[in-house]
Amino acid sequence: MSLSGHCRCKAVSYTLEAETIPVSYACHCLECQTMSGGAFVVQLPIREERLRVEGSLITWENEDSPGNVTTQRFCSACKTRIF
């Protein structure tokens, strides 16, 4: 099965090759709440080699109080979070 989509401005597109739809979960941490402007962010853990992304991305890294670093990738044009 192939799942695909794009950012708001369509400058970045992605395709995920998977046997089934990945299991999702909602993260309610303060970082995700701040980033989304909502109560949570839906996450899908996937294998990196199954994801293909085309287009210009920018990277943002954040270290939380315990010292864990999260890396986010966004469309460089419209700033939609891609992964």
Side-chain angles (χ1 to χ4, degrees):
M1 162 186 343
S2 179
L3 304 170
S4 60
H6 51 79
C7 64
R8 288 187 294 260
C9 72
K10 299 183 181 175
V12 174
S13 62
Y14 57 85
T15 303
L16 173 66
E17 297 296 332
E19 292 83 29
T20 61
I21 295 174
V23 175
S24 65
Y25 68 95
C27 181
H28 293 79
C29 78
L30 291 178
E31 296 294 331
C32 285
Q33 289 175 355
T34 300
M35 183 170 295
S36 70
F40 60 89
V41 171
V42 176
Q43 309 275 3
L44 298 161
I46 60 169
R47 299 182 64 83
E48 187 174 353
E49 64 268 11
R50 295 186 180 265
L51 180 65
R52 189 182 77 236
V53 179
E54 296 177 2
S56 177
L57 298 173
I58 56 173
T59 300
W60 178 72
E61 291 186 340
N62 183 51
E63 185 175 340
D64 63 16
S65 53
N68 301 311
V69 175
T70 62
T71 303
Q72 311 286 324
R73 305 277 189 321
F74 299 83
C75 169
S76 64
C78 68
K79 308 306 185 266
T80 299
R81 183 176 152 217
I82 304 297
F83 67 97

